[in-house]
Amino acid sequence: MNQQARRNPLKDQAGGLKQVKNLLAVSSCKGGVGKSTVAVNLACSLAKRGLKVGIFDADVYGPSLPTVVRPASTDLFSRNDLILPLEYEGMKLMSFGYVPTGAGGSGAAIMRGPMVTQIINQLLTGTEWGALDYLVIDMPPGTGDVQLTLTQLIPLTAAVIVTTPQELSFVDVVKGIQMFQKLKVPTVSVVENMAYFKCDECSSKKYLFGPGVKQRLVDQFGIKNAFELPLQQELSRLSDAGRPYVLEHDDAIAQTFQQLAEATVAEIDRLREESAGMPSTRFVIGRGVVITWPDGSEQDIDAATMRRACRCAHCIEETTGKQLLDPASVSEDIYPNEIQPMGNYAVSVQWSDGHTTSIYPYDLLADLAQS
Ligand code: ADP
């Protein structure tokens, strides 16, 4: 069950976060993929929708918020022991880059993981965010200890993962999804940045690295919100000039950011509603895996059929989607030793044959129950 989405954020957040309804992480497995560009344009698109929005730049080593937006003043003031955030186009901002003797300077390089996460948390909770619908958190790049600890410390509502479509990008996305999954934070959208470029002569889309990860995200993780952004000089020019693209243009790229914002909000709302009434699963001898849907109806799935439908990296080749598991190798007597909810969209199963990495989105269980 998704504890993050169920929690009432108004009640249990610390310090300056008390009136923040949703904390949305924007994350990437490595630097330079456009995470900050996506974070700021997503934040502006949420604000365009009439929502109250803040941006927290959690990258202590390389803060980029001071580059991608230029507020009129970057002087910081405090009130009642909390730092007042800067303001830009109606949004609230905070970054280590704004803290004068801040950790964004050379001191950051010598800090160890636990110090870094404590400092990030202090600045986050020590900022007087006021009433916000969404606080977009530009996470430090990577999926290591710092990111994991941060995900533990910050009561994240959901995550958006940004990637570029190189050969190993799906593996990167999976690493990100799994890091958030460990702490029951659902990944609601994935953005493939610099996925293609538009040819000036024929205006067709050129995919430099072949097809993206869309279908596999749906199949393996039940993530339906995957968006592609082109490699575009204007995006980079405006980023470097400190002006978010969506505030200057109303073209296909701006619309993609708007769709990302809409889809992300809709998915978070849906998860919050759904987590109030999740399906439950159990094993019953003679029936197999029995799913009880929120409306009370039940469906049975043959356990061997379910085991054969496993889509983990041992059973399916990650890059091609080819089945590696020999269906004949699965005994008809197989049964689950344990079934655990994962986030609010899937269950993970430990099978009696020793297989421990099976994840079944509820959509897949519904399909298997029909077949
Ligand atoms: P990250 O936060 O992942 O390190 P940034 O958002 O800082 O990445 O982007 C890295 C660089 O790439 C910046 O100079 C940015 O302007 C540029 N950039 C980001 N997205 C695009 C894009 N779709 N097309 C062209 N340049 C981009």
Side-chain angles (χ1 to χ4, degrees):
M1 188 142 328
N2 179 6
Q3 302 299 338
Q4 303 282 349
R6 291 188 74 191
R7 175 185 290 173
N8 176 354
L10 289 173
K11 277 197 177 145
D12 57 2
Q13 284 174 5
L17 288 174
K18 276 201 183 79
Q19 298 179 71
V20 177
K21 287 186 192 156
N22 296 288
L23 286 99
L24 180 62
V26 178
S27 164
S28 67
C29 206
K30 24 180 208 278
V33 301
K35 172 179 54 61
S36 302
T37 306
V38 169
V40 74
N41 282 288
L42 170 60
C44 293
S45 304
L46 290 167
K48 274 186 171 180
R49 221 175 161 265
L51 296 165
K52 289 195 200 109
V53 177
I55 309 174
F56 178 66
D57 177 6
D59 197 343
V60 73
Y61 296 111
S64 47
L65 199 59
T67 310
V68 295
V69 289
R70 307 277 161 87
S73 161
T74 54
D75 294 338
L76 292 183
F77 298 95
S78 64
R79 190 174 57 207
N80 302 333
D81 289 339
L82 291 172
I83 308 172
L84 299 176
L86 302 180
E87 299 224 0
Y88 179 76
E89 299 279 348
M91 297 180 300
K92 307 259 173 85
L93 313 175
M94 187 49 69
S95 163
F96 289 97
Y98 301 136
V99 182
T101 53
S106 55
I110 57 160
M111 276 195 289
R112 296 163 59 120
M115 287 164 76
V116 173
T117 46
Q118 284 306 328
I119 284 181
I120 296 173
N121 198 37
Q122 257 176 33
L123 187 60
L124 175 68
T125 55
T127 298
E128 177 56 284
W129 294 103
L132 291 183
D133 295 305
Y134 278 85
L135 179 57
V136 174
I137 301 186
D138 188 353
M139 296 282 283
T143 48
D145 283 350
V146 167
Q147 292 75 13
L148 194 64
T149 314
L150 259 189
T151 308
Q152 244 159 355
L153 284 174
I154 304 175
L156 293 173
T157 311
V160 172
I161 294 180
V162 183
T163 183
T164 47
Q166 277 100 28
E167 204 160 295
L168 288 174
S169 69
F170 190 65
V171 178
D172 282 352
V173 174
V174 170
K175 270 193 213 159
I177 294 172
Q178 286 173 342
M179 177 187 79
F180 287 115
Q181 252 174 7
K182 270 188 206 159
L183 296 156
K184 308 235 184 296
V185 175
T187 298
V188 287
S189 311
V190 173
V191 178
E192 272 187 282
N193 191 24
M194 311 188 216
Y196 62 91
F197 75 92
K198 266 213 167 141
C199 167
D200 281 345
E201 279 80 41
C202 60
S203 80
S204 66
K205 290 181 178 177
K206 305 284 183 203
Y207 285 83
L208 297 169
F209 302 102
V213 299
K214 239 176 168 160
Q215 194 53 45
R216 272 178 288 161
L217 285 171
V218 175
D219 289 348
Q220 291 186 26
F221 297 99
I223 298 171
K224 299 187 187 83
N225 301 324
F227 297 90
E228 288 173 347
L229 286 164
L231 183 70
Q232 238 249 21
Q233 204 182 2
E234 176 69 351
L235 251 169
S236 160
R237 187 189 71 77
L238 282 171
S239 238
D240 298 342
R243 185 76 182 151
Y245 188 93
V246 298
L247 299 182
E248 289 294 310
H249 295 276
D250 192 13
D251 57 1
I253 294 178
Q255 279 158 25
T256 303
F257 278 118
Q258 202 59 44
Q259 284 161 8
L260 168 67
E262 304 292 333
T264 300
V265 168
E267 186 64 5
I268 288 173
D269 289 348
R270 192 184 69 79
L271 290 177
R272 196 163 268 138
E273 268 172 35
E274 243 189 40
S275 63
M278 297 276 296
S280 65
T281 41
R282 66 194 196 281
F283 180 69
V284 178
I285 295 171
R287 287 179 68 181
V289 174
V290 178
I291 317 169
T292 309
W293 298 103
D295 67 2
S297 63
E298 287 192 341
Q299 284 184 299
D300 299 355
I301 305 173
D302 172 56
T305 305
M306 187 163 155
R307 169 69 186 89
R308 290 182 187 117
C310 175
R311 292 176 176 172
C312 80
H314 300 289
C315 297
I316 297 277
E317 225 272 309
E318 281 202 12
T319 44
T320 60
K322 197 177 128 227
Q323 185 160 31
L324 300 172
L325 172 73
D326 174 9
S329 69
V330 176
S331 157
E332 294 302 326
D333 301 333
I334 196 162
Y335 58 89
N337 282 329
E338 193 180 335
I339 308 179
Q340 283 284 344
M342 301 262 326
N344 52 8
Y345 66 91
V347 288
S348 75
V349 179
Q350 289 189 16
W351 290 104
S352 57
D353 63 357
H355 194 69
T356 57
T357 51
S358 297
I359 294 170
Y360 298 89
Y362 291 124
D363 286 358
L364 174 61
L365 293 186
D367 288 348
L368 291 172
Q370 304 289 321
S371 63

